[in-house]
Amino acid sequence: MSSQAATGERASAPLRIANVSGFYGDRASAMREMLEGGPVDVLTGDYLAELTMLILARDRMKDPATGYAKTFLRQLEQCLGTVLDRGVTVVTNAGGLHPAGLAQALRALAGRLGLSPRIAQVTGDDLLGRADELGLGAPLAANAYLGAWGIAHALRQGADIVVTGRVTDASLVVGPAAAHFGWARDDFDALAGAVAAGHVIECGAQATGGNYAFFAEHDIGLPGFPIAEVHADGSSVVTKHPGSGGAVTVGTVTAQLLYEVDGPRYLGPDVTTRLDTVVLTEDGPDRVRITGVRGEAPPPTLKVGLNSLGGFRNDVTFLITGLDVEAKAALARTQLEASLKRRPPAELVWRLARTDHPDADGQEEASALLHATVKDTDPAVAGRAFSGAAVELALSSYPGFTLLAPPGDATPFGVFTAAAVPAELVPHLVVLPDGTEHPIEPRGSHDPAGTAGDLPSLDAAVPAAPTWTGRGPTRRAPLGLVVGARSGDKGGTANIGVWARSDAAYAWLAATLTADVLVELLPEAAGRPVARHVLPNLRALNFVVDGLLGDGVSAGTRFDPQGKGLGEWLRSRYVDIPEELL
C-alpha cells in the first residue's frame, strides 16, 4: 500500500477509544470484558474524583510510596499480555498523586509476567511543594488539571501505556485522538469534539444506561462500558460492544453530557468546548453520533484542586418510632446539646428525616430518623465525648429510644476547594520509556490570544430556546413524567441537568423551570446562588447551585453529600403539566 493510501485510510477510519473505569472502585472486570467483546484501539481509565484525591493524599501520608490507584494494577495484571499482542494502547490517570510510583509498579508487574511494555508517565500537576509560593495555602494535595498534549507526545514517541497524574478526565480521550490524527493546538473544533466524546465516556457505564432517568424503558442488566469512535474532524459515535448490557441512546448520551458541568462554555486546559453547539443523532442500535461541536481558545489559567484537612467529624442517628415524632426529636436534641455544653463542638448539625408513615404495618415504616453530625478540630471533642453522650441518653429520653450504631470515634474529613493559576506557571513533563524527560511547551506559544474570548459568529449560530405557546388543560403530576435529569457535585457546588425528549416538551420546560421555580421545588436550595443555563441543541437546562453541598463530599452533612439524587428528587416533584405532553 502506498504511503498516500495509508494516510487516507488512517484519516477516514475512526479511532476506537474505550473506557474501562469511571471511578476508583469501578467494576474490576471491565478491562477484560472490553478486550473480549470486540476490537478497540485505546483503553482509557478514569480513577480520579475530588474525594479520590483526598483518599490518595491520606494514603501518601501513611506511605510515600503509594498515592496511586492500586486497582488499575489488578485490572491490567490479567490483561497486559492481550493488550500488547493486539497493539492496544492504554491511557490512565490512575497515577493520582504518584504517577512515577505507578509506572514503577507497572514495570515490576510486567517483569513478573515476562512482558516489556513501553511505559511513559505525565507529571507536573502536583503543586504541593509550591503551594505557598503560588498562594494556595497549606493543603494536603494541590493538583493542577493538565491537558492532553503530554499524553499525545508520549504516544507519538511510541508508548504502549501512558500513566498520568491529574489531567482533565476528557484528556484521556483527547490525547490519543490528537496523537493519532495529528491535530494542532489550534484545531479547536476537533479538540472540542474529542472533549465532548471524552466527557461522555469518562464515567463508564453512565453512558450506557447506568444511573439513567428512564432506565425502566430498557433492559439495562449489567451495562457494558462505552466506546467512542473518534473521527479525524473530532466528530464521534458513542457505542458499546454488541451483546453487552445496557443501552446507548440520545437520552443516555444527553444525560452524561449534562453531568457535572456548568455553563455552555466548558472550560478546559486545551480548548473551551461549546456545549451549546453539540448535536446528537441516532446512528443505529446503540450508536449515537456527536457532531457540530465548536471550540474556542482555552482560558489563560489552569484549575487547581485543593484538598485540605478540615478537622474531625462524627455521626449518630436516633431511631424515632410512632407518634409525636417532632416532640421526641426536640427532646433528644435538647438533651444532647445540654450534655455537650461544657465543651460544645465547633459545629453540630441536626437533620430529621420523616421516613415514617401513619398507621404502618411494619415498624420500620413507622419510624423516622434523627441524624446528628458534629465537626471539630479536636478529635476527642468530636469522638466519644459526642457519641458517648448520645448513648448515655438511652434510659433518659423519649419512649422507644434507639441508636442505629454503637458509639464511635471521630474520623478526619477533608475540604475541597478550587483555585486557578496562570498556565505558564505549571510544568507539564513527559517521562518517556527510556527515562528521558520532555517538557511540553506552555500553551501561550501556540495560542496568541490566550483567552476563551467571545466569537460573535459562533454565538449567532447557537439556536434560541423555543417558545411555548400551549394553552390547553394541565394536570398535576411528577415533573419526571416528561423530563429526565442527572445531578452531581463539584466540591460544594451541585449541578442538575434537566432535559426533554421532544421539542414541545422542551419549549414548555424552558418556559416553566426557571431558577426561582427550581428553588420552590427544591427548598434546600433556598438562599443560595442558582444559575440556569440553556442548551437548546440538547433540549436541556443546566442548573448550578453554589454551596448546596457545603465543603465537599468528605465534609458534607447532607445525607446525599455528592448530590447524586438531586435530579431524581426534582423529577419526583409535582407541577402542572400540559396534558398534551403526558
Side-chain angles (χ1 to χ4, degrees), residues 27-223:
R27 196 155 83 226
S29 60
M31 186 180 294
R32 174 178 51 78
E33 293 170 12
M34 188 60 72
L35 290 169
E36 292 175 351
V40 294
D41 300 310
V42 183
L43 296 177
T44 65
D46 176 18
Y47 296 80
L48 302 185
E50 291 153 0
L51 177 61
T52 311
M53 299 300 280
L54 176 63
I55 293 171
L56 296 179
R58 290 170 59 181
D59 287 348
R60 186 173 62 176
M61 291 175 64
K62 298 175 185 175
D63 181 358
T66 61
Y68 55 82
K70 302 181 185 70
T71 54
F72 171 70
L73 289 169
R74 293 197 288 273
Q75 280 187 298
L76 197 60
E77 183 173 9
Q78 55 183 310
C79 298
L80 183 55
T82 304
V83 163
L84 296 177
D85 288 344
R86 296 185 185 176
V88 175
T89 300
V90 178
V91 180
T92 179
N93 60 15
L97 300 179
H98 195 11
L102 178 56
Q104 182 178 352
L106 281 172
R107 285 188 284 268
L109 170 63
R112 293 196 300 273
L113 298 175
L115 302 170
S116 302
R118 293 165 293 184
I119 302 170
Q121 64 195 63
V122 177
T123 66
D125 63 294
D126 192 343
L127 303 181
L128 185 61
R130 301 170 55 204
D132 187 58
E133 166 199 340
L134 295 171
L136 302 175
L140 295 178
N143 295 84
Y145 288 68
L146 299 179
W149 295 107
I151 296 170
H153 182 76
L155 294 175
R156 286 170 177 161
Q157 298 302 311
D160 300 310
I161 302 174
V162 182
V163 173
T164 79
R166 200 21 149 166
V167 297
T168 64
D169 300 341
S171 293
L172 303 176
V173 169
V174 179
H180 182 75
F181 294 116
W183 294 337
R185 289 208 182 188
D186 59 356
D187 286 330
F188 292 138
D189 289 347
L191 292 168
V195 167
H199 183 58
V200 170
I201 73 168
E202 72 189 37
C203 285
Q206 280 195 169
T208 56
N211 299 347
Y212 182 52
F214 302 107
F215 71 97
E217 297 178 358
H218 304 281
D219 182 12
I220 297 297
L222 187 63

Side-chain angles (χ1 to χ4, degrees), residues 258 262-264 275-276 506 533-542:
L258 296 174
D262 42 33
L275 295 176
D276 51 2
Y506 180 57
H533 303 286
V534 181
L535 300 168
N537 278 359
L538 299 176
R539 297 192 187 117
L541 305 174
N542 194 55

Side-chain angles (χ1 to χ4, degrees), residues 338-363:
S339 298
L340 302 175
K341 188 173 294 185
R342 179 178 299 177
R343 171 56 171 92
E347 185 176 353
L348 173 58
V349 178
W350 293 92
R351 303 183 313 281
L352 177 61
R354 293 300 303 266
T355 54
D356 54 302
H357 301 275
D359 194 23
D361 291 332
Q363 182 178 343

Side-chain angles (χ1 to χ4, degrees), residues 50-51 54-55 58 307-311 313 315 375 411-416 489 491 549 551-557 561-562:
E50 291 153 0
L51 177 61
L54 176 63
I55 293 171
R58 290 170 59 181
N307 279 284
S308 306
L309 182 63
R313 64 175 293 165
D315 302 85
K375 296 179 185 178
T411 57
F413 69 89
V415 173
F416 176 85
D489 65 310
L549 307 179
D551 292 321
V553 56
S554 180
T557 57
Q562 291 181 286

Side-chain angles (χ1 to χ4, degrees), residues 261-263 488-496 515 518-519 524-533 542-552 558 566:
V261 297
D262 42 33
D489 65 310
K490 281 297 179 187
T493 297
N495 144 254
I496 309 168
L518 180 89
V519 173
E524 292 178 15
R528 305 185 185 280
V530 179
R532 186 183 97 145
H533 303 286
N542 194 55
F543 294 90
V544 179
V545 187
D546 286 341
L548 180 62
L549 307 179
D551 292 321
R558 295 182 79 255
L566 283 170

